[in-house]
């Protein structure tokens, strides 16, 4: 795809790459000069450029997949426990939780994702295993797995997430013991996957809920709902700027990856480990901005 080659050249020449997340020590040493981008067509054919086959830490990108699993199993009842409004606050913020009675604003900030993982664990008995197996099938990569080093690093530095979980438990919005939930959540965040894997795995969101093997994972309406929440909440307190620049539903993670969806057309995943101050990949956002500008593919 010539457009991907052009974007890679532009990204290589651009000044400033941001800084890898250092609050998770295992991520701090990632080389910020790496860059990869993959586009998956609806039939799973993938095109890529740069480090598009290099595995990286998926982190908060996994929040999309746990939401999809939970929504498919639980339906609308999920929304009694987590909202679907942008937070306007950092992804790991505690401030809104107290005056909103332990109900997180949306499933893509840490508090909301903890609620979703807690519910998925109650439904399946194995939230992180269910997620990993789902991603293996949807990506077509049977070797996709957790990075135990990242899991250990987050576990050793998990006070903020522990605080969020305990606080919500005090409002009875967490059903499992907090240590059990945190172990599931940290495994979820530690999924290691490449741009090719994640672009393919997100394909059901472009196929209106149809999975890689032709099965119905979500109703058309649920796929629309998840895309809508990605557009409004997927990049935390930068979601407005992301929508303005990229014009697609997207979800970032502090490993430097971002997935994006062109409904009915294709899915994308970009990776550049250097982050801006809101925790989104600098080169990833720039690359998606250029992709939609050069191709005209956007939801607007
Ligand atoms: N594992 C990270 C955390 O819980 C995920 C955050 C992110 O990717 N934005 O802090």
């Amino acid at each position: 795809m010539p457009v991907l080659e052009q974007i890679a050249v532009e990204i290589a020449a651009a000044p400033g790459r941001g800084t890898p997340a250092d609050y998770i020590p295992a991520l701090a040493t990632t080389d910020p000069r790496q860059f990869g981008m993959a586009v998956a067509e609806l039939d799973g054919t993938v095109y890529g450029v740069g480090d598009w086959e290099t595995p990286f830490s998926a982190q908060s990108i996994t929040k999309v997949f746990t939401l999809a699993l939970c929504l498919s199993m639980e339906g609308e009842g999920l929304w009694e426990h987590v909202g679907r409004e942008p937070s306007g606050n950092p992804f790991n913020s505690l401030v809104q939780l107290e005056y909103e009675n332990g109900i997180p604003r949306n499933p893509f900030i840490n508090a909301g994702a903890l609620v979703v993982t807690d519910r998925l664990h109650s439904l399946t008995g194995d939230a992180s295993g269910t997620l990993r197996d789902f991603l293996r099938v949807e990506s077509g990569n049977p070797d996709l797995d957790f990075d135990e080093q990242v899991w250990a690093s987050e576990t050793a530095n998990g006070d903020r997430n522990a605080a969020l979980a305990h606080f919500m438990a005090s409002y009875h919005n967490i059903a499992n013991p907090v240590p059990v939930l945190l172990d599931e959540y940290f495994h979820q965040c530690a999924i290691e996957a490449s741009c090719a894997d994640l672009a393919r795995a997100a394909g059901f969101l472009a196929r209106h809920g149809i999975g890689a093997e032709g099965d119905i994972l979500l109703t058309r309406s649920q796929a629309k709902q998840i895309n809508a929440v990605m557009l409004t909440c997927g990049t935390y307190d930068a979601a407005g700027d992301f929508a303005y620049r990229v014009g697609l539903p997207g979800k970032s993670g502090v490993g430097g990856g971002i997935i994006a969806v062109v409904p009915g057309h294709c899915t994308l995943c970009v990776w550049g480990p250097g982050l801006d101050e809101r925790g989104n990949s600098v080169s990833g956002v720039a690359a998606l901005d250029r992709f939609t500008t050069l191709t005209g593919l956007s939801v607007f």
Side-chain angles (χ1 to χ4, degrees), residues 23-24 58-61 63 91-92 108 110 154 161 185-186 189-190 236 251-255 278-279:
Y23 77 101
I24 303 171
Q59 292 294 322
S60 281
I61 292 174
K63 293 176 167 78
F91 63 84
N92 56 3
F108 294 154
N110 285 12
E154 272 205 85
N161 286 312
Y185 175 77
F186 292 142
C189 294
Y236 324 115
K251 181 75 202 84
S252 60
V254 292
R278 282 151 167 181

Side-chain angles (χ1 to χ4, degrees), residues 92-106:
N92 56 3
S93 174
L94 278 152
V95 293
Q96 273 166 345
L97 270 183
E98 182 162 23
Y99 54 83
E100 295 181 357
N101 302 318
I103 309 289
R105 273 288 172 105
N106 69 67

Side-chain angles (χ1 to χ4, degrees), residues 85-91 93 96 105-106 109 232-233 236-237:
E85 290 293 342
S87 68
N89 276 307
F91 63 84
S93 174
Q96 273 166 345
R105 273 288 172 105
N106 69 67
I109 52 174
T232 53
C233 310
Y236 324 115
D237 44 339

